[in-house]
Amino acid sequence: MAQPTPLEASLEAIIMTFHKHADSGDAMTLSKKANQPHQGRKGGPEWDDLVTMLDQDGDGALNFMEYLTLIVSLACMCNCVLKEKMCLHFMKKTCVLPSAFYSVLH
């Protein structure tokens, strides 16, 4: 069996991380009371605030698509930081998340 490509390994890590932290009942959502994936980190919004900002259907939990919104938005911000560009203008036009997320990496 061939080794996974870096992209395949990254996708697997994203999916497995979601399921690792998903509620034990249905393993389909991350809730405010769930095991917090970023527990112990400082400098960004609290988990409850993140869930509230990302929870598009208002059920108090993040489904996989809502979780991907977080992952893609963080990837956009990391890309800007890594390229050493001040791209807040770009981010505000293309990313879905509120301005509170722009402070996470700054």
Side-chain angles (χ1 to χ4, degrees):
M1 187 164 168
Q3 287 286 92
T5 66
L7 176 60
E8 291 168 335
S10 297
L11 290 171
E12 180 182 12
I14 290 169
I15 294 166
M16 297 307 292
T17 300
F18 176 83
H19 289 287
K20 175 182 175 185
H21 296 285
D23 289 337
S24 59
D26 61 9
M28 299 302 285
T29 62
L30 297 171
S31 69
K32 289 182 181 181
K33 65 181 180 250
N35 224 354
Q36 301 174 8
H38 72 292
Q39 192 169 9
R41 296 193 182 172
K42 297 179 182 178
E46 295 295 324
W47 178 247
D48 287 358
D49 297 333
L50 289 173
V51 172
T52 300
M53 285 189 271
L54 294 165
D55 184 15
Q56 294 180 359
D57 58 13
D59 65 356
L62 300 182
N63 61 37
F64 189 71
M65 291 301 292
E66 293 165 335
Y67 167 76
L68 285 179
T69 300
L70 171 64
I71 299 302
V72 169
S73 297
L74 289 173
C76 287
M77 288 185 284
C78 289
N79 182 57
C80 288
V81 170
L82 291 173
K83 293 207 175 240
E84 300 178 348
K85 292 182 181 178
M86 296 303 293
C87 63
L88 291 179
H89 179 73
F90 168 77
M91 294 295 295
K92 288 179 182 176
K93 288 186 174 189
T94 59
C95 287
V96 181
L97 297 178
S99 61
F101 275 91
Y102 303 124
S103 66
V104 172
L105 294 175
H106 297 287

